[in-house]
Amino acid sequence: MAAVTEGENENGHSRERGAVGLKQRIHRRHQALTEAAERRREARDGRSVPEEQSDYFSNAFNHERAQIEELLRRCYGAERTSAFEILDQAKLRTEQLQKFLKDSSGFLKNYELQQAQDAFRKLQSSLEETREEVLPKKKFAFKARSKTSEPTPQQTPGSDEAAADDVGGTQVDGAVTVEQCGFSNMENAFLTKTAEEIQKQDVLLTHLTNCRVRLKGCPSTLHLKDIDGCEILCGPVSSSVFVDRCQNSMLALACQQLRTHNTTDTQVYLHVTSRAIIENCRGVGFAPFSWSYPTLEEDFRLSSLDRGRNNWNTVDDFNWLAVGTPSPNWSVIPEEDRKISWDL
């Protein structure tokens, strides 16, 4: 084999050094390109986040505003009781929309915020105008009493409390209010009301724990408050059901409107002719009304509820304004998990 000369060795080392240098330059160039691309991506993402937030806000805000405006249009021509309930619903949704606007102001541009605030003020004005037109305030007049007339025993001075007792009511700030029938402050009890006892009265259930309640008949309204671990079944309610601070319970309700607040881990078997409303709730499940008793159909007739119209799975969550995304605070109870027998 031929001997390798000193010059050839030097040339070989030079080629090796050149190859290493080329690799290093290629690596540094690739690293620089990668870092530049990353900086461009970060800059692009930084711009897209506010844009995506702005688009989301605009879609959600305009959708909810349109829903409230539709509620206001429905007030005209409605009966006074229905109009009052619709306006109350519109007011609550307007308050929720105001909170959504306030929470979103941090990322909106000035002109976007100004446009939204102007639109909200117009909505508030429409709400007040609709209320004044549909539910005008009644004018009260005091009837003059004859100076010569003597007060009757039932009208003696200071007898307001007695008058309240005569109608089964209580006095609040000088006004007489009719006392509601129902149950309060009870634990581990089986409680019932018959149709004769209810007779289209307002029914109040409050501070009940581990109770089973059966209300047969046709209440005018139903109020549930501070309910824990109860099973409450109620016949058709001619107007609204109001639920507040209910937990770990099971309800069977039929009504014109359901409004549920501050409620957790509760199942509702529902027949409702409008849209159910929840607010500050979580873990609420819905299924169709399935309780039955011998006079149920007659009670439906007396309540004037439409037996063929049930919006049990149409629920408005005032804490969830995301358009096209289901609320995580309520769900439909799977058919295999629904209760079908309510016998004790």
Side-chain angles (χ1 to χ4, degrees), residues 271-321:
H271 183 106
V272 62
T273 57
S274 60
R275 298 172 68 94
I277 296 169
I278 65 172
E279 186 172 20
N280 299 327
C281 297
R282 60 177 175 81
V284 181
F286 289 92
F289 183 82
S290 58
W291 184 41
S292 182
Y293 55 91
T295 60
L296 176 65
E297 295 304 322
E298 175 63 16
D299 290 336
F300 259 103
R301 187 187 66 79
L302 293 174
S303 70
S304 299
L305 293 180
D306 187 347
R307 193 71 164 99
R309 181 183 178 186
N310 188 5
N311 297 313
W312 65 272
N313 59 348
T314 305
V315 180
D316 289 335
D317 183 356
F318 282 6
N319 296 107
W320 189 255
L321 294 175

Side-chain angles (χ1 to χ4, degrees), residues 89-112:
Q89 180 181 350
K91 180 177 181 292
L92 287 174
R93 294 181 69 158
T94 300
E95 291 172 352
Q96 190 65 34
L97 186 62
Q98 185 179 30
K99 182 178 182 299
F100 179 57
L101 173 58
K102 181 180 179 181
D103 293 344
S104 304
S105 60
F107 62 80
L108 293 176
K109 296 177 181 178
N110 288 336
Y111 77 90
E112 292 174 332

Side-chain angles (χ1 to χ4, degrees), residues 103-162:
D103 293 344
S104 304
S105 60
F107 62 80
L108 293 176
K109 296 177 181 178
N110 288 336
Y111 77 90
E112 292 174 332
L113 180 59
Q114 185 63 47
Q115 286 181 332
Q117 289 174 336
D118 290 343
F120 182 78
R121 281 192 289 269
K122 290 180 181 178
L123 182 65
Q124 282 184 314
S125 297
S126 296
L127 177 62
E128 292 304 318
E129 291 173 1
T130 303
R131 184 184 299 277
E132 291 177 1
E133 293 177 12
V134 175
L135 299 175
K137 294 181 179 179
K138 294 181 179 180
K139 296 182 179 180
F140 295 92
F142 293 95
K143 186 175 181 180
R145 179 180 293 178
S146 171
K147 293 182 180 180
T148 58
S149 62
E150 294 295 330
T152 64
Q154 293 81 8
Q155 295 176 328
T156 56
S159 64
D160 288 342
E161 294 180 3

Side-chain angles (χ1 to χ4, degrees), residues 328-343:
N329 298 318
W330 72 275
S331 62
V332 171
I333 303 172
E335 290 190 22
E336 60 271 20
D337 296 332
R338 297 174 186 173
K339 188 166 184 176
I340 56 176
S341 176
W342 300 94
D343 296 334

Side-chain angles (χ1 to χ4, degrees), residues 37-334:
E38 182 66 18
R39 286 194 297 271
R40 288 194 297 271
R41 185 188 67 78
E42 290 176 352
R44 183 174 63 253
D45 290 347
R47 290 191 302 270
S48 64
V49 169
E51 291 170 357
E52 291 173 0
Q53 288 178 324
S54 179
D55 289 343
Y56 163 76
F57 168 81
S58 178
N59 291 335
F61 181 85
N62 290 329
H63 177 268
E64 184 63 13
R65 180 165 59 97
Q67 293 291 315
I68 297 171
E69 290 172 344
E70 176 60 27
L71 285 175
L72 298 180
R73 284 191 289 269
R74 283 170 48 194
C75 290
Y76 293 93
E79 296 180 356
R80 185 178 178 86
T81 301
S82 298
F84 181 84
E85 293 174 351
I86 295 171
L87 279 170
D88 199 23
Q89 180 181 350
K91 180 177 181 292
L92 287 174
R93 294 181 69 158
T94 300
E95 291 172 352
Q96 190 65 34
L97 186 62
Q98 185 179 30
K99 182 178 182 299
F100 179 57
L101 173 58
K102 181 180 179 181
D103 293 344
S104 304
S105 60
F107 62 80
L108 293 176
K109 296 177 181 178
N110 288 336
Y111 77 90
E112 292 174 332
L113 180 59
Q114 185 63 47
Q115 286 181 332
Q117 289 174 336
D118 290 343
F120 182 78
R121 281 192 289 269
K122 290 180 181 178
L123 182 65
Q124 282 184 314
S125 297
S126 296
L127 177 62
E128 292 304 318
E129 291 173 1
T130 303
R131 184 184 299 277
E132 291 177 1
E133 293 177 12
V134 175
L135 299 175
K137 294 181 179 179
K138 294 181 179 180
K139 296 182 179 180
F140 295 92
F142 293 95
K143 186 175 181 180
R145 179 180 293 178
S146 171
K147 293 182 180 180
T148 58
S149 62
E150 294 295 330
T152 64
Q154 293 81 8
Q155 295 176 328
T156 56
S159 64
D160 288 342
E161 294 180 3
D165 292 338
D166 289 342
V167 297
T170 57
Q171 185 180 11
V172 180
D173 295 333
V176 176
T177 59
V178 177
E179 187 174 312
Q180 296 162 315
C181 72
F183 302 101
S184 297
N185 301 302
M186 304 189 75
E187 295 184 12
N188 305 310
F190 176 53
L191 310 170
T192 63
K193 288 283 185 185
T194 65
E196 291 74 18
E197 291 174 306
I198 291 175
Q199 292 181 343
K200 286 197 172 185
Q201 295 185 73
D202 293 339
V203 177
L204 173 65
L205 305 179
T206 179
H207 294 94
L208 302 182
T209 302
N210 298 327
C211 293
R212 308 185 82 171
V213 184
R214 301 292 187 269
L215 305 174
K216 297 180 180 180
C218 178
S220 175
T221 62
L222 174 65
H223 297 257
L224 310 180
K225 191 170 184 179
D226 295 303
I227 305 297
D228 186 5
C230 295
E231 181 183 88
I232 299 174
L233 315 181
C234 183
V237 180
S238 58
S239 58
S240 299
V241 174
F242 302 93
V243 181
D244 190 17
R245 297 199 295 274
C246 177
Q247 61 181 351
N248 305 317
S249 296
M250 188 174 296
L251 315 176
L253 309 167
C255 56
Q256 182 184 106
Q257 183 186 55
L258 172 68
R259 288 178 49 187
T260 305
H261 303 274
N262 310 303
T263 292
T264 58
D265 303 322
T266 293
Q267 292 188 342
V268 183
Y269 290 79
L270 181 64
H271 183 106
V272 62
T273 57
S274 60
R275 298 172 68 94
I277 296 169
I278 65 172
E279 186 172 20
N280 299 327
C281 297
R282 60 177 175 81
V284 181
F286 289 92
F289 183 82
S290 58
W291 184 41
S292 182
Y293 55 91
T295 60
L296 176 65
E297 295 304 322
E298 175 63 16
D299 290 336
F300 259 103
R301 187 187 66 79
L302 293 174
S303 70
S304 299
L305 293 180
D306 187 347
R307 193 71 164 99
R309 181 183 178 186
N310 188 5
N311 297 313
W312 65 272
N313 59 348
T314 305
V315 180
D316 289 335
D317 183 356
F318 282 6
N319 296 107
W320 189 255
L321 294 175
V323 179
T325 305
S327 166
N329 298 318
W330 72 275
S331 62
V332 171
I333 303 172

